[in-house]
Amino acid sequence: GAGVSQSPSNKVTEKGKDVELRCDPISGHTALYWYRQSLGQGLEFLIYFQGNSAPDKSGLPSDRFSAERTGGSVSTLTIQRTQQEDSAVYLCASSLNNRGPDTQYFGPGTRLTVL
Amino acid sequence: GEDVEQSLFLSVREGDSSVINCTYTDSSSTYLYWYKQEPGAGLQLLTYIFSNMDMKQDQRLTVLLNKKDKHLSLRIADTQTGDSAIYFCAEAGNTGGFKTIFGAGTRLFVKA
């Protein structure tokens, strides 16, 4: 399909383990966002990639969280030494980042459960 | 920094109108958006409004923008049970390279 895909769809891990979440954006989209949505909470911005510019990491909650985007396409969000409070749905979105109306297209999310 | 705020819950009866409100702080906002998230799915764009407009209507949806007060609202006429979802307000402006900033989302419950 031509949409944003994320993998895995579900991930269960033990406290203290590292996890990697993957996002495949829509081809040609220069902007890529990661968000976290916790149960009963709203949408929390994590990180924003735009083309070759340095990413905006202002939303990362701690230094256990990092993300990279290789070749301006696929992105990986890594959480080291996971904690139970990291349990949430992690959403990825991409957009053309036009200076006009810029629709973000969201993936279905990865549900992370830390036991 | 920039902020977008919404109330967390709204409950209406089927057939009534729903009004979801949002306030934002970025005075350079050029586009304001409403996204909808149905259970178990990602967000999808519902509608958007350019900052030089006061109102935009699209079938059952009416978006009102008060730029002076930095207040945005989404009205859903004849609300149906299928409208039950989380509605997110978002804004994008010149700050941060047109990064879009989302509110926390308003969960709309529609009672039959």
Side-chain angles (χ1 to χ4, degrees), chain A:
Chain A
V4 177
S5 61
Q6 293 185 243
S7 61
S9 55
N10 281 284
K11 176 72 177 178
V12 180
T13 191
E14 293 179 346
K15 179 181 171 181
K17 300 281 190 187
D18 297 351
V19 295
E20 282 190 353
L21 312 180
R22 176 187 168 106
C23 172
D24 282 90
I26 292 172
S27 178
H29 280 193
T30 59
L32 187 147
Y33 300 76
W34 281 99
Y35 299 92
R36 177 168 72 175
Q37 189 173 27
S38 304
L39 188 64
Q41 303 291 317
L43 200 63
E44 178 186 4
F45 163 77
L46 296 177
I47 189 168
Y48 162 58
F49 296 90
Q50 169 49 35
N52 295 322
S53 302
D56 177 348
K57 305 179 182 180
S58 59
L60 295 177
S62 77
D63 60 7
R64 296 186 296 105
F65 288 72
S66 63
E68 61 179 26
R69 189 178 184 191
T70 54
S73 181
V74 171
S75 177
T76 303
L77 177 70
T78 302
I79 309 173
Q80 295 178 309
R81 304 180 303 280
T82 51
Q83 303 295 310
Q84 288 182 331
E85 61 263 28
D86 299 335
S87 296
V89 175
Y90 290 81
L91 292 168
C92 173
S94 71
S95 77
L96 287 168
N97 202 43
N98 288 327
R99 288 187 169 248
D102 188 46
T103 302
Q104 287 193 32
Y105 294 85
F106 282 77
T110 294
R111 182 174 296 277
L112 175 66
T113 304
V114 182
L115 302 176

Side-chain angles (χ1 to χ4, degrees), chain A residues 37 42 56 99 102-104, chain B residues 33 35 37 45 98-100 104:
Chain A
Q37 189 173 27
D56 177 348
R99 288 187 169 248
D102 188 46
T103 302
Q104 287 193 32
Chain B
Y33 306 86
Y35 281 77
Q37 184 184 32
L45 182 68
F98 278 78
K99 184 179 80 178
T100 304

